[in-house]
Amino acid sequence: MLDAHLHYVQGVAWDPLAKYIASLSSDRTCRIYFSKPHNKTKGDKMNYVCQHVLAKLELQTEDESKPAKNHLFHDETLPSFFRRLAWSPDGSFLVVPAGSYKFLPASEPVNTAYVFSRKDLTRPALMLPGASKPVVAVRFCPVVFRLRGSDSETFFKLPYRLVFAIATLNSLYIYDTESVQPIVILAGLHYAAITDIAWSPKGNYLGLSSQDGYCTLVEFENEELGLPISLSEGNVVMGNASESLLEEPENVGAEENMNIDIVTDDKEKAASQKNEERQSSSFPVFTPIQNKPAKRRITPMAID
């Protein structure tokens, strides 16, 4: 029994490689449990121990003598039944909802989801802000897609495309790992808060449930999300923990010159630029563009 959380556990995600279990609670912590084998005398019983407790992140301040720390996640006042975190199908990264991040100690917190690289689960590698309401659920499409070969910016270094959906209390964002901006934004789907989301096994449907008593089913046309492939065909990289799966910030043309612990190999250069980067985030930021007109309007309807 894993009973380290101090409040309700609202999300649990099992690593596809069966090495980690990640849990998210309304006590404002995300815990990463590591599979530690028993001694031979104890048989094959699984044993998980807490390896990381993700709760706060140190912020950059003008006065270095007074470091400030910010809670990574919303507290128990978040009006949601779930905080659905999820591993990517290949196990290369973990996406955690219910994020609350301050760019500066005096600034207002923004709603976000955090992306943790498998190489370093101690701190976020990326953040996905822009939502007006808290993020409550993350779900990965179970299908892996062939790269489209686009020239768009990306922070991921994968030989295939992964698609994942992020649900807030009032909207839905769909991302893929070959672009920075979300590929789909849906809003105004329900009269009350969204509670959960789920993909169909073949990835052609995405279901949403809501507190208004209705469910929305988003249908994708054949190969609308891409050409499906198998992980073996895409040269799966999930077992390679020694190499970062995130692109270096200077190679993707990010607007801010950001310093990321898990992908930066020249720490001395980063330290020399610290004064110039105080107003920037400590990790890359995906900023959704919300002023584009929606392609389709989906209206809730009752099913007899």
Side-chain angles (χ1 to χ4, degrees):
M1 179 181 294
L2 307 177
D3 56 356
H5 282 293
L6 303 178
H7 213 277
Y8 297 120
V9 177
Q10 295 183 302
V12 178
W14 193 289
D15 172 23
L17 302 184
K19 184 178 180 181
Y20 299 106
I21 293 177
S23 62
L24 186 59
S25 168
S26 54
D27 65 4
R28 309 186 83 169
T29 66
C30 176
R31 293 179 179 267
I32 308 295
Y33 297 91
F34 174 74
S35 178
K36 183 179 180 180
H38 277 292
N39 296 330
K40 294 182 179 179
T41 57
K42 294 186 178 181
D44 297 332
K45 185 178 179 180
M46 297 191 333
N47 179 36
Y48 282 87
V49 295
C50 186
Q51 187 178 49
H52 304 298
V53 179
L54 311 173
K56 295 182 179 181
L57 185 68
E58 188 170 332
L59 300 178
Q60 296 178 349
T61 60
E62 296 182 1
D63 187 357
E64 297 182 5
S65 63
K66 297 179 180 180
K69 290 190 175 182
N70 174 60
H71 282 284
L72 287 172
F73 306 105
H74 284 279
D75 59 18
E76 70 275 5
T77 60
L78 175 63
S80 174
F81 294 108
F82 308 115
R83 303 183 186 206
R84 301 285 198 194
L85 68 170
W87 290 91
S88 60
D90 61 356
S92 60
F93 56 95
L94 172 70
V95 184
V96 184
S100 176
Y101 182 76
K102 288 185 177 181
F103 290 93
L104 294 172
S107 63
E108 290 294 323
V110 297
N111 299 306
T112 185
Y114 298 109
V115 180
F116 292 84
S117 169
R118 187 181 187 88
K119 183 183 177 182
D120 185 359
L121 292 170
T122 62
R123 56 175 291 128
L126 307 173
M127 64 178 292
L128 308 172
S132 60
K133 297 290 185 178
V135 180
V136 296
V138 178
R139 293 293 193 188
F140 276 85
C141 178
V143 179
V144 178
F145 300 97
R146 187 185 302 278
L147 291 174
R148 287 176 169 168
S150 62
D151 296 330
S152 60
E153 299 173 353
T154 181
F155 288 107
F156 297 93
K157 296 188 299 185
L158 295 173
Y160 39 76
R161 288 175 57 247
L162 300 177
V163 176
F164 57 98
I166 291 180
T168 74
L169 290 174
N170 65 351
S171 57
L172 177 74
Y173 298 83
I174 300 180
Y175 289 87
D176 74 352
T177 55
E178 202 177 4
S179 60
V180 171
Q181 303 296 340
I183 58 177
V184 176
I185 300 177
L186 299 174
L189 301 177
H190 287 275
Y191 300 108
I194 295 173
T195 56
D196 206 354
I197 53 177
W199 291 88
S200 64
K202 294 184 178 180
N204 54 340
Y205 293 98
L206 178 61
L208 298 85
S209 60
S210 170
Q211 293 181 7
D212 62 10
Y214 291 89
C215 290
T216 293
L217 197 61
V218 181
E219 181 180 6
F220 300 95
E221 297 178 356
N222 187 32
E223 298 185 1
E224 183 176 359
L225 293 177
L227 181 64
I229 61 172
S230 64
L231 281 176
S232 58
E233 183 181 352
N235 299 321
V236 61
V237 296
M238 60 184 177
N240 185 3
S242 62
E243 181 182 356
S244 174
L245 299 176
L246 298 174
E247 191 70 63
E248 302 247 354
E250 58 267 24
N251 294 337
V252 295
E255 292 182 2
E256 297 88 357
N257 186 13
M258 300 175 182
N259 177 22
I260 315 171
D261 287 351
I262 67 169
V263 297
T264 302
D265 19 8
D266 191 356
K267 292 188 177 180
E268 293 182 359
K269 181 179 178 181
S272 66
Q273 297 175 347
K274 186 174 182 180
N275 292 332
E276 300 176 3
E277 298 175 351
R278 282 174 179 168
Q279 301 302 319
S280 66
S281 173
S282 59
F283 41 85
V285 178
F286 285 11
T287 305
I289 298 176
Q290 302 192 44
N291 56 3
K292 291 184 177 180
K295 292 184 178 180
R296 290 181 286 182
R297 169 72 180 181
I298 303 175
T299 305
M301 60 179 296
I303 301 177
D304 295 332

